[in-house]
Amino acid sequence: MPTEPVIARLTHWFRQRPNSIEFWELVLTNERLLWCFVGESYRSLLLRADMGERDRDVVADLPPDAVATYDERNFAVPLEALEQLHLVTGTRLRRARLAVEWRSGDDIEPEERTLYQSRTADPQRELMTELGSDPRLEGVDVTVETPRFPRL
Protein backbone atom coordinates (compact mmCIF):
# COMPACT_ATOMS: atom_id res chain seq x y z
CA MET A 1 0.00 0.00 0.00
CA PRO A 2 1.52 3.36 -1.00
CA THR A 3 2.18 5.74 1.84
CA GLU A 4 1.41 9.42 1.89
CA PRO A 5 4.78 11.23 1.90
CA VAL A 6 5.30 13.87 4.59
CA ILE A 7 6.48 17.22 3.23
CA ALA A 8 6.92 18.96 6.60
CA ARG A 9 6.13 18.72 10.31
CA LEU A 10 5.39 22.01 12.04
CA THR A 11 5.90 21.37 15.74
CA HIS A 12 5.41 23.00 19.15
CA TRP A 13 2.41 25.18 18.32
CA PHE A 14 -0.43 26.17 20.61
CA ARG A 15 -3.79 27.88 20.26
CA GLN A 16 -5.11 30.20 22.95
CA ARG A 17 -8.73 29.62 23.92
CA PRO A 18 -10.75 31.63 26.48
CA ASN A 19 -10.23 29.09 29.28
CA SER A 20 -7.39 26.92 28.06
CA ILE A 21 -4.40 26.52 25.78
CA GLU A 22 -4.57 23.77 23.14
CA PHE A 23 -1.36 22.19 21.86
CA TRP A 24 -1.18 21.21 18.18
CA GLU A 25 1.22 19.58 15.75
CA LEU A 26 0.79 20.15 12.00
CA VAL A 27 1.79 17.51 9.47
CA LEU A 28 1.86 18.58 5.82
CA THR A 29 1.70 15.81 3.23
CA ASN A 30 1.35 15.87 -0.54
CA GLU A 31 -2.44 15.48 -0.08
CA ARG A 32 -3.45 17.35 3.10
CA LEU A 33 -2.55 19.37 6.15
CA LEU A 34 -3.20 17.31 9.28
CA TRP A 35 -4.01 19.10 12.54
CA CYS A 36 -3.10 16.83 15.44
CA PHE A 37 -4.30 17.71 18.94
CA VAL A 38 -1.64 16.75 21.52
CA GLY A 39 -2.93 18.23 24.77
CA GLU A 40 -4.60 21.02 26.64
CA SER A 41 -3.70 23.12 29.64
CA TYR A 42 -6.27 25.03 31.66
CA ARG A 43 -5.72 28.47 33.11
CA SER A 44 -6.12 27.24 36.68
CA LEU A 45 -2.73 26.30 38.14
CA LEU A 46 -4.27 23.21 39.69
CA LEU A 47 -5.25 21.84 36.28
CA ARG A 48 -2.01 22.35 34.35
CA ALA A 49 -1.18 19.66 31.82
CA ASP A 50 2.20 18.47 30.60
CA MET A 51 2.11 21.07 27.77
CA GLY A 52 1.59 18.34 25.17
CA GLU A 53 5.17 17.03 25.25
CA ARG A 54 4.26 13.40 25.92
CA ASP A 55 1.88 13.22 22.97
CA ARG A 56 4.21 15.28 20.74
CA ASP A 57 6.86 12.58 21.19
CA VAL A 58 4.37 9.87 20.22
CA VAL A 59 3.07 11.75 17.16
CA ALA A 60 6.57 12.60 15.91
CA ASP A 61 7.11 9.06 14.63
CA LEU A 62 3.60 8.23 13.41
CA PRO A 63 2.70 7.93 9.72
CA PRO A 64 0.04 10.38 8.43
CA ASP A 65 -2.86 7.92 8.64
CA ALA A 66 -2.10 7.24 12.30
CA VAL A 67 -1.73 10.98 13.00
CA ALA A 68 -5.18 11.61 11.48
CA THR A 69 -6.82 9.17 13.90
CA TYR A 70 -4.66 9.88 16.97
CA ASP A 71 -7.29 12.07 18.67
CA GLU A 72 -10.97 12.72 18.02
CA ARG A 73 -10.29 16.47 17.68
CA ASN A 74 -7.85 15.97 14.82
CA PHE A 75 -8.90 17.13 11.39
CA ALA A 76 -7.44 17.43 7.91
CA VAL A 77 -7.51 20.20 5.34
CA PRO A 78 -7.10 19.01 1.74
CA LEU A 79 -4.11 20.62 0.04
CA GLU A 80 -6.30 22.07 -2.72
CA ALA A 81 -8.41 23.89 -0.06
CA LEU A 82 -5.36 25.39 1.65
CA GLU A 83 -4.92 29.07 0.78
CA GLN A 84 -2.29 30.55 3.07
CA LEU A 85 0.50 29.68 5.49
CA HIS A 86 1.79 32.90 7.04
CA LEU A 87 4.63 32.78 9.58
CA VAL A 88 5.58 35.86 11.58
CA THR A 89 8.90 35.10 13.22
CA GLY A 90 9.29 35.63 16.94
CA THR A 91 11.34 38.18 18.84
CA ARG A 92 12.61 38.34 22.40
CA LEU A 93 9.29 39.81 23.51
CA ARG A 94 6.83 38.10 21.15
CA ARG A 95 6.24 34.51 20.18
CA ALA A 96 6.28 33.36 16.56
CA ARG A 97 2.81 33.26 15.02
CA LEU A 98 1.48 30.98 12.28
CA ALA A 99 -1.76 31.84 10.49
CA VAL A 100 -3.32 29.07 8.41
CA GLU A 101 -6.19 29.86 6.06
CA TRP A 102 -8.32 27.45 4.03
CA ARG A 103 -11.67 27.16 2.32
CA SER A 104 -14.10 24.58 3.63
CA GLY A 105 -16.96 23.51 1.40
CA ASP A 106 -18.91 26.29 -0.30
CA ASP A 107 -18.22 28.91 2.37
CA ILE A 108 -17.64 32.39 0.99
CA GLU A 109 -15.31 33.34 3.84
CA PRO A 110 -12.18 31.25 4.34
CA GLU A 111 -11.55 29.65 7.71
CA GLU A 112 -8.46 30.78 9.60
CA ARG A 113 -6.64 29.65 12.71
CA THR A 114 -3.72 31.37 14.36
CA LEU A 115 -1.22 29.37 16.36
CA TYR A 116 1.65 30.54 18.56
CA GLN A 117 4.97 28.78 19.01
CA SER A 118 6.41 27.75 22.36
CA ARG A 119 9.62 29.48 23.43
CA THR A 120 11.63 26.23 23.39
CA ALA A 121 10.76 25.34 19.79
CA ASP A 122 12.90 25.62 16.69
CA PRO A 123 11.91 28.81 14.78
CA GLN A 124 11.05 26.82 11.61
CA ARG A 125 11.81 29.89 9.47
CA GLU A 126 13.97 27.90 7.04
CA LEU A 127 11.35 25.16 6.74
CA MET A 128 8.64 27.68 5.86
CA THR A 129 10.95 29.36 3.32
CA GLU A 130 11.52 25.99 1.65
CA LEU A 131 7.77 25.35 1.57
CA GLY A 132 7.31 28.63 -0.30
CA SER A 133 9.28 27.25 -3.24
CA ASP A 134 7.86 23.69 -3.11
CA PRO A 135 5.96 22.96 -6.37
CA ARG A 136 3.41 20.80 -4.48
CA LEU A 137 2.25 24.00 -2.72
CA GLU A 138 1.97 26.03 -5.90
CA GLY A 139 -1.52 27.39 -5.16
CA VAL A 140 -0.77 28.18 -1.50
CA ASP A 141 0.46 31.61 -0.42
CA VAL A 142 3.40 30.71 1.85
CA THR A 143 5.01 33.76 3.45
CA VAL A 144 7.56 34.41 6.15
CA GLU A 145 7.48 37.83 7.76
CA THR A 146 10.08 39.28 10.08
CA PRO A 147 8.82 41.88 12.58
CA ARG A 148 9.92 45.46 12.03
CA PHE A 149 12.11 45.45 15.15
CA PRO A 150 13.31 41.81 15.35
CA ARG A 151 15.65 42.40 18.29
CA LEU A 152 12.82 43.40 20.63
Side-chain angles (χ1 to χ4, degrees):
M1 181 174 160
T3 60
E4 191 175 348
V6 173
I7 297 172
R9 290 184 183 262
L10 303 167
T11 64
H12 289 87
W13 293 97
F14 67 89
R15 181 176 179 216
Q16 292 182 310
R17 306 290 296 162
N19 295 323
S20 67
I21 299 172
E22 298 174 347
F23 302 101
W24 293 89
E25 296 290 290
L26 302 178
V27 178
L28 184 65
T29 71
N30 66 336
E31 297 176 15
R32 57 193 172 163
L33 175 65
L34 295 164
W35 290 72
C36 185
F37 180 83
V38 292
E40 189 168 15
S41 178
Y42 295 91
R43 299 234 182 238
S44 168
L45 292 175
L46 297 175
L47 298 175
R48 292 273 177 198
D50 73 331
M51 309 304 270
E53 291 305 317
R54 181 179 54 239
D55 287 338
R56 284 185 210 279
D57 292 341
V58 172
V59 169
D61 298 324
L62 292 178
D65 289 335
V67 169
T69 59
Y70 186 74
D71 189 275
E72 62 192 27
R73 289 169 271 204
N74 292 2
F75 64 96
V77 175
L79 213 54
E80 55 273 357
L82 193 60
E83 292 195 344
Q84 182 180 35
L85 291 171
H86 180 76
L87 174 70
V88 178
T89 59
T91 66
R92 277 192 290 157
L93 302 176
R94 294 183 186 242
R95 295 177 186 269
R97 186 173 68 241
L98 177 66
V100 182
E101 189 177 298
W102 69 91
R103 293 221 179 262
S104 57
D106 294 330
D107 291 345
I108 295 171
E109 291 294 317
E111 199 168 330
E112 182 178 330
R113 284 201 181 175
T114 301
L115 302 172
Y116 299 90
Q117 196 168 43
S118 68
R119 295 239 186 249
T120 59
D122 173 31
Q124 299 177 7
R125 182 180 313 125
E126 292 82 20
L127 176 61
M128 288 294 290
T129 303
E130 288 174 17
L131 289 177
S133 61
D134 193 316
R136 296 170 285 196
L137 299 174
E138 186 177 319
V140 180
D141 180 23
V142 180
T143 55
V144 177
E145 179 183 334
T146 302
R148 186 171 174 188
F149 301 107
R151 293 191 176 164
L152 294 180

